[in-house]
Amino acid sequence: CLESETKYERLYEAIDIALQRPKYLESGTPPKIVVAESSFARGITRDNTDQRDVDLTIGDHIAARLARDLPQEVKIFVLDGLNSRWREQVIADFEKHTGPSVLLTLTSVMGEGIDISCASDGILITPPQTKARREQFARRMNRIGQNMDVHLQVLELAGTIEQGISEYAERKATVVEDFISGRPLSAEEIELLESDVSEIRRGGYFGYEVMSPREKASWIIGKIYGKGKEAI
């Protein structure tokens, strides 16, 4: 999904929506938008070879493409694992910039204690594996000192693994709420509560939950093929 033109087009539209929000015109404040990916920097802030050019106009990663395609007055900032040691400085430069700006980053880099209340628009390129990560990202902007409504857009392509991950996160959040309320959980719910992304990647039971319909059909056929009537 990260390399698809559809994903890039949706991201560009989401940024354009954020740039045009009336709240910025009404307050006289330039738009500041934080765009984050929940997994990997490859394809987002640097090319798939793990290399990032200092000049953002060079390269095929999303940050470079946005630098070329967005209006010239929109400045692109990048914060990922390669420059996370200067995280505070990058965020300070992003905050001090007097024009419209977009910060490309990762949710893993925007950890606890980070204050990006200078921005009031957030965009997640893919849905996180848990609702808590989505809410944590929004809370980085919705902190003391924020004087505008905070808007969050989450890009999720239908019919892809993203849709399954989003549904998985919703089900897991429901189980967590039921567990906190004291309702006894079934064996499957306990497994869902204890599962994590690594289990999905290993193709465990709940790996099935993030498959597309076509992948699910292939998985089912693979399980029953040649096993006889009893297995079916």
Side-chain angles (χ1 to χ4, degrees), residues 192-210:
L192 176 60
L193 189 66
E194 295 176 346
S195 68
D196 57 20
V197 179
S198 62
E199 183 175 346
I200 293 174
R201 289 176 179 155
R202 290 195 303 270
Y205 175 76
F206 283 101
Y208 173 85
E209 297 293 329
V210 298

Side-chain angles (χ1 to χ4, degrees), residues 96-145:
K96 293 175 183 177
H97 186 66
T98 57
S101 51
V102 177
L103 174 64
L104 271 290
T105 186
L106 308 174
T107 54
S108 58
V109 177
M110 306 301 292
E112 294 183 6
I114 294 298
D115 185 341
I116 50 172
S117 58
C118 61
S120 62
D121 264 281
I123 300 171
L124 288 172
I125 296 176
T126 55
Q129 291 86 2
T130 64
K131 288 182 67 176
R133 288 190 180 182
R134 181 178 66 191
E135 293 166 0
Q136 184 187 54
F137 175 67
R139 286 197 293 267
R140 300 284 74 78
M141 295 176 288
N142 196 18
R143 297 171 66 97
I144 295 175

Side-chain angles (χ1 to χ4, degrees), residues 152-225:
L152 176 63
Q153 299 180 73
V154 182
L155 307 184
E156 175 188 320
L157 292 184
T160 70
I161 194 173
E162 295 175 348
Q163 184 177 1
I165 288 176
S166 183
E167 294 169 357
Y168 171 85
E170 291 290 340
R171 284 195 293 274
K172 190 163 187 175
T174 300
V175 173
V176 170
E177 291 171 2
D178 290 345
F179 175 75
I180 293 174
S181 69
R183 180 180 70 79
L185 303 181
S186 68
E188 286 187 359
E189 288 174 327
I190 292 174
E191 184 177 352
L192 176 60
L193 189 66
E194 295 176 346
S195 68
D196 57 20
V197 179
S198 62
E199 183 175 346
I200 293 174
R201 289 176 179 155
R202 290 195 303 270
Y205 175 76
F206 283 101
Y208 173 85
E209 297 293 329
V210 298
M211 294 178 185
S212 69
R214 182 186 296 272
E215 289 171 328
K216 286 181 178 179
S218 298
W219 186 87
I220 293 170
I221 291 171
K223 287 292 183 182
I224 66 176
Y225 185 77

